Amino acid sequence: MRRVAVTGVGVLTALGDGRGETWKALLDGRSGIAPIQGYDPSSLSTRIAAELPDFTPTRYAHRKSLRTTTRNDQLAIAGAALAVEDAGLDLDEGGYDPERAGVFVGGNKEISNPEHLLDGSLAGRREDGWADLRLLGERASSAFYPLYYVEGLQSASLFHLSHAHGFKGANSYYHGTADAGVTALARGYRSIRHGESDVVIAGGFDDAASWWVMTKMDGLGVLTTRNEAGAAAFRPYDTERSGSVLGEGSAFLVLEEWESARRRGARVYAEVGGFGATQDPDLITPHPDGEPLAAAVRRALREAAVEPGEVDYAATHGCATRLGDRTEARALTSVFGRGSGTAASSVKPATGHLVAGAGALNAAVCALAIDGSALPPTLGLDQVDPECAGMDWVAGEARETRVRHTVAIGRGLEGQQTALVLSAPTEQARRRS
């Protein structure tokens, strides 16, 4: 089996554009969560989020090519562009065959631009206010934006990324929540490992702070309503935790076949070594002891030939729901043991919960932790809930330490459990079973 190197990290969050700005802010303990400014949130129970303050899509793509994109797509375009730039990747100069360059994406896109949806839908409204499908049919051709259905395609990001970077090989789009981005990275990793691809762009993205996503999540009971607390409302594993705060952004990695990356002199942040995925049979309410997540982590470690005791850091899901955090903590202590040397933290209180991009962001955090020999803290973790105790939670401030092996976790809203192992780059491959 071939080895897989991480050579580019592209991160776009409320903390900044690019891995450098976000990573520094994470280590400094800053948060991008604030009152929502992009629209009027007064009808929502949760009115705080981590929005991108100055996102300019034309920085990453020509205006003409953005005509058929949604903000969701634009976040993917930006994250991938940042990763490719960070990797110094050029298909021609790198000697890569475009037919063996893949794109794997995880997202949560559901609709076209909301403005275009509203414009078209109003055409089917009668004078008395009732919806009339016959009337809509008569007016639809002129009422809807001409490219409405094209811009609304869920997997449109695959085209935009392939077109922008000339990647013509294997590709897949995964729809979901935090599991989607991890699954996309895993598919990219295995595509290279098994010889299907030589280089891959993979990751996740979501405009989770948008009106559309917020209205969906607002009624599920998974978001905090402590708006007056601001950023301090997001408190994973804490006795006072009350739910998540959503954020928008993207996280993409450039993955390359190990020897090819070395030949072109690429900077290698980490090596991807294993992936595990399971399904929790309980919808929204996880299994009480977290065993499905524990099984996913064990599978990933087994594939990577890494023992639990060798893992220095876990980038956790940490969504700050009562049940979610408790079951995750139980899963982790089941794998690593209570009081083990494995440190863990969640960056969500800093970046917001990126939903479909959250798991991919955890993978990026693992790569940066390995490269920078530092672990970001879990903000808001002032008093660990006894039911979440047992792990070495990084709280309060960042920690400088050598990082050899890491696990990035992504949990899906509908029971998907995923784990990806990233390790420090070494010249000698580990022997896998």
Side-chain angles (χ1 to χ4, degrees):
M1 296 292 181
R2 306 194 309 169
R3 299 173 68 186
V4 181
V6 177
T7 59
V9 180
V11 177
L12 181 70
T13 71
L15 297 174
D17 293 10
R19 62 166 177 81
E21 289 186 22
T22 291
W23 186 239
K24 184 178 186 306
L26 287 174
L27 296 184
D28 288 346
R30 289 190 277 123
S31 175
I33 294 173
I36 293 173
Q37 300 295 320
Y39 52 92
D40 183 356
S42 58
S43 64
L44 301 174
S45 299
T46 301
R47 297 184 290 278
I48 54 176
E51 299 174 289
L52 300 181
D54 301 304
F55 178 55
T56 307
T58 50
R59 175 185 169 188
Y60 306 99
H62 295 297
R63 187 177 301 276
K64 183 178 180 180
S65 65
L66 294 172
R67 288 179 58 217
T68 58
T69 64
T70 63
R71 184 177 179 86
N72 221 312
D73 299 323
Q74 293 164 10
L75 296 176
I77 291 169
L82 288 166
V84 170
E85 179 184 19
D86 186 54
L89 189 64
D90 185 299
L91 287 189
D92 296 327
E93 294 183 5
Y96 287 116
D97 179 357
E99 303 288 342
R100 293 180 57 78
V103 179
F104 302 98
V105 175
N108 191 33
K109 179 181 176 181
E110 293 183 337
I111 62 171
S112 302
N113 283 309
E115 297 86 351
H116 296 155
L117 172 64
L118 291 172
D119 288 341
S121 298
L122 289 174
R125 185 180 183 183
R126 298 193 316 229
E127 292 184 3
D128 62 7
W130 287 89
D132 188 327
L133 291 180
R134 182 180 294 276
L135 186 62
L136 179 63
E138 294 172 356
R139 299 176 177 177
S141 60
S142 60
F144 279 93
Y145 175 61
L147 300 175
Y148 175 78
Y149 295 104
V150 174
E151 72 179 12
L153 293 172
Q154 284 185 313
S155 59
S157 54
L158 287 177
F159 163 76
H160 296 301
L161 301 193
S162 298
H163 179 73
H165 303 289
F167 284 36
K168 301 179 181 179
N171 59 91
S172 293
Y173 173 81
Y174 299 93
H175 189 84
T177 51
D179 60 293
V182 180
T183 302
L185 286 165
R187 177 67 176 86
Y189 148 67
R190 287 183 173 168
S191 183
I192 294 175
R193 186 183 179 198
H194 294 291
E196 179 183 45
S197 302
D198 297 321
V199 60
V200 156
I201 301 172
F205 63 98
D206 208 327
D207 62 342
S210 68
W211 174 84
W212 178 261
V213 180
M214 284 290 293
T215 55
K216 289 193 308 176
M217 302 292 283
D218 198 56
L220 292 180
V222 296
L223 303 183
T224 182
T225 57
R226 296 180 58 202
N227 300 294
E228 72 289 347
F234 204 159
R235 312 176 70 84
Y237 313 111
D238 192 83
T239 55
E240 299 299 321
R241 67 187 184 279
S242 57
S244 292
V245 177
L246 300 184
E248 57 183 348
S250 60
F252 280 80
L253 303 181
V254 170
L255 308 179
E256 297 184 57
E257 190 276 323
W258 182 272
E259 296 301 332
S260 298
R262 286 301 200 189
R263 281 196 300 271
R264 77 174 185 90
R267 173 184 184 176
V268 177
Y269 289 91
E271 179 178 1
V272 183
F275 171 67
T278 60
Q279 178 69 40
D280 191 323
D282 298 312
L283 181 65
I284 300 181
T285 56
H287 193 279
D289 63 7
E291 182 51 36
L293 174 58
V297 174
R298 291 190 183 100
R299 289 183 184 183
L301 292 174
R302 186 163 55 246
E303 182 173 282
V306 173
E307 295 296 325
E310 297 179 288
V311 176
D312 297 306
Y313 175 66
T316 64
H317 188 66
C319 63
T321 62
R322 304 302 300 183
L323 186 58
D325 283 8
R326 183 169 72 245
T327 58
E328 182 177 27
R330 289 177 178 175
L332 295 177
T333 54
S334 171
V335 174
F336 300 113
R338 295 182 66 85
S340 71
T342 301
S345 68
S346 169
V347 299
K348 287 182 175 64
T351 65
H353 190 330
L354 269 56
V355 188
L361 178 60
N362 279 348
V365 166
C366 284
L368 294 173
I370 291 169
D371 184 69
S373 298
L375 305 179
T378 304
L379 303 183
L381 181 52
D382 297 330
Q383 185 173 350
V384 177
D385 186 332
E387 292 190 306
C388 298
M391 293 297 295
D392 176 16
W393 298 112
V394 183
E397 60 184 23
R399 182 185 303 175
E400 293 186 5
T401 184
R402 179 190 177 202
V403 184
R404 300 163 301 167
H405 302 289
T406 66
V407 176
I409 292 171
R411 307 182 79 183
L413 188 62
E414 296 184 336
Q416 301 88 347
Q417 313 292 319
T418 59
L420 190 71
V421 174
L422 294 89
S423 300
T426 60
E427 290 305 319
Q428 186 174 0
R430 295 177 71 87
R431 183 172 299 174
R432 296 181 173 89
S433 57

